[in-house]
Amino acid sequence: MPSLLLSPYALAGLTLRNRIVVSPMCEYSSVDGFANDWHLVHLGSRAVGGAGIVLTEATAVTADGRISPHDLGIYQDAHVDMLSRIFAFVREHGAVVGVQLAHAGRKASNGRPWDGGRPLSTSDGGWEPIWAPSAQPFRDGWQVPRAMTRDDIAAVVRAFAAAASRVLAAGGQVIELHAAHGYLLHEFLSPVSNQRDDEYGGAFDNRARFLREVVDAVRRVWPERLPLFVRISATDWVDGGWTLDDSVSLARDLKNRGVDLIDCSTGGNVAHATIPVAPGYQVPGAERVRREAGIPTGAVGLITEPRQAEEILQQGRADLIVMARQLLRDPYWPLHAAQALGDAPPVPDQYLRAF
């Protein structure tokens, strides 16, 4: 019996060759938001390696929404050309290609991890202002963000829609909206970071309003035949924060707005949260959202072994396996997983003699 992991999976108007997704992983290798040969090799090698979906790293919808000055961007039309070349290569080698659209919010204007990951001043290449629902920094010693006005919010909604149009022009096939890890959309969702008293703060429906507006704006320009994902942090891991109950309620709403899958991560919005990290530690979030909201989910978080991934699918805990660090260590993990599970690996002709 063929494995579920390596079986085709239909999603909106697409059929994936398998259920393995290359998770967005920041590369911090761009200049002015432009993709380059690093991204061609990084993303292209995972397509050659057999993944079903290859997603770009968090790709900024505005220049001041980048995490760092070295982030990938899609905030100007000139960004499309190189992305088109990369996307064509990924599709040619059998993978579906997509973009994670993001705005870093109060976590913007930081250095690269290998440079210390510290907040950058304008003299060090950073920028001001950075944006958030409330004028509350992510942690002590970080920049104090500017609380967004209604006009600021509307401008970012338009930026997400414009970015989605550019993804379509570049030949992208999936969009994932980044509403996790303490970035802007997550900041509005969570009562830990959203202290507003207007229609974008307070009650659950108000805190979810910004994300709903982004989803609706993107869906107006993104064809129904192409999947729309939303990545959430299913819990903040702190009392008084965003909860799994909130995630289920949000997923029900997003399903009715044309979202096809919820990519379930956790955390990132509280600097000192206690997170019980262990293999598969985020899978329960994907399982519960799938079961109670009736929407497909992606499971992520220290999923490294083929049989571990297969069991998650066989047990109905998620529909896709979203992998990050393991696919950095081994771009050809899908080929090796197929061998381990007794399936025929999707090996390109050029590599057949090795398999």
Side-chain angles (χ1 to χ4, degrees), residues 278-281 283 301-313 315 321 333 341:
Y281 72 105
V283 175
L302 296 185
I303 301 170
T304 60
E305 299 298 327
R307 297 198 182 279
Q308 175 195 15
E310 179 67 14
E311 286 177 3
I312 292 167
L313 299 174
Q315 294 168 2
I321 301 298
W333 188 90
L341 295 172

Side-chain angles (χ1 to χ4, degrees), residues 2-352:
S3 69
L4 283 180
L5 184 66
L6 275 298
S7 296
Y9 181 71
L11 196 60
L14 299 178
T15 298
L16 315 179
R17 62 180 169 187
N18 58 50
R19 301 194 189 206
I20 302 166
V21 181
V22 178
S23 186
M25 292 177 278
C26 291
E27 298 300 295
Y28 304 105
S29 299
S30 293
V31 175
D32 295 330
F34 284 89
N36 53 51
D37 286 348
W38 176 267
H39 301 91
L40 172 63
V41 174
H42 168 67
L43 299 170
S45 63
R46 273 82 197 165
V48 170
I53 300 179
V54 175
L55 294 175
T56 68
E57 63 198 84
T59 304
V61 300
T62 64
D64 60 3
R66 292 173 294 168
I67 303 166
S68 83
H70 307 281
D71 282 24
L72 190 63
I74 194 163
Y75 47 83
Q76 56 177 295
D77 292 345
H79 289 145
V80 169
D81 283 350
M82 186 61 181
L83 290 173
S84 296
R85 177 187 171 200
I86 294 168
F87 293 176
F89 183 91
V90 171
R91 294 193 311 269
E92 179 186 351
H93 291 280
V96 165
V97 67
V99 175
Q100 185 187 69
L101 297 179
H103 189 296
R106 65 180 183 172
K107 295 174 102 173
S109 189
N110 276 270
R112 295 176 295 194
W114 54 87
D115 293 329
R118 295 181 298 274
L120 296 176
S121 66
T122 53
S123 61
D124 289 329
W127 53 87
E128 294 179 350
I130 60 172
W131 304 97
S134 306
Q136 178 181 346
F138 172 62
R139 65 195 312 164
D140 293 343
W142 282 43
Q143 310 101 313
V144 176
R146 181 178 296 179
M148 296 174 73
T149 67
R150 292 175 180 86
D151 287 344
D152 296 330
I153 292 169
V156 172
V157 171
R158 291 193 298 270
F160 270 97
S165 294
R166 294 184 186 106
V167 175
L168 191 63
Q173 299 164 286
V174 176
I175 282 177
E176 177 169 276
L177 302 176
H178 199 350
H181 299 167
Y183 298 123
L184 186 64
L185 296 176
H186 182 188
E187 291 165 21
F188 271 81
L189 291 173
S190 174
V192 171
S193 45
N194 186 341
Q195 305 297 317
R196 302 173 72 96
D197 58 7
D198 63 0
E199 67 270 33
Y200 290 95
F204 172 90
D205 284 343
N206 285 352
R207 287 182 280 111
R209 188 183 306 275
F210 186 14
L211 175 57
R212 291 197 302 266
E213 290 177 352
V214 169
V215 167
D216 291 348
V218 168
R219 257 303 172 207
R220 283 193 287 270
V221 300
W222 188 247
E224 289 186 11
R225 63 184 171 81
L226 297 178
L228 176 62
F229 296 178
V230 175
R231 171 165 273 195
I232 64 170
S233 283
T235 173
D236 281 337
W237 296 111
V238 294
D239 292 339
W242 183 260
T243 70
L244 192 46
D245 287 342
D246 293 330
S247 293
V248 171
S249 297
L250 178 68
R252 289 174 179 148
D253 184 20
L254 297 182
K255 177 184 177 183
N256 293 331
R257 292 175 180 273
V259 171
D260 298 288
L261 181 137
I262 304 296
D263 181 359
C264 294
S265 187
T266 63
N269 197 39
V270 179
H272 302 294
T274 300
I275 300 176
V277 176
Y281 72 105
Q282 297 179 136
V283 175
E287 179 180 15
R288 187 170 166 202
V289 168
R290 183 180 190 267
R291 182 179 67 248
E292 297 185 20
I295 188 170
T297 60
V300 63
L302 296 185
I303 301 170
T304 60
E305 299 298 327
R307 297 198 182 279
Q308 175 195 15
E310 179 67 14
E311 286 177 3
I312 292 167
L313 299 174
Q314 291 285 354
Q315 294 168 2
R317 306 182 74 191
D319 298 274
L320 299 179
I321 301 298
V322 186
M323 302 181 66
R325 289 177 175 85
Q326 187 62 23
L327 283 172
L328 290 183
R329 290 186 284 262
D330 181 6
Y332 308 104
W333 188 90
L335 307 183
H336 300 143
Q339 289 180 313
L341 295 172
D343 291 314
V347 182
D349 292 342
Q350 296 92 329
Y351 289 3
L352 278 172

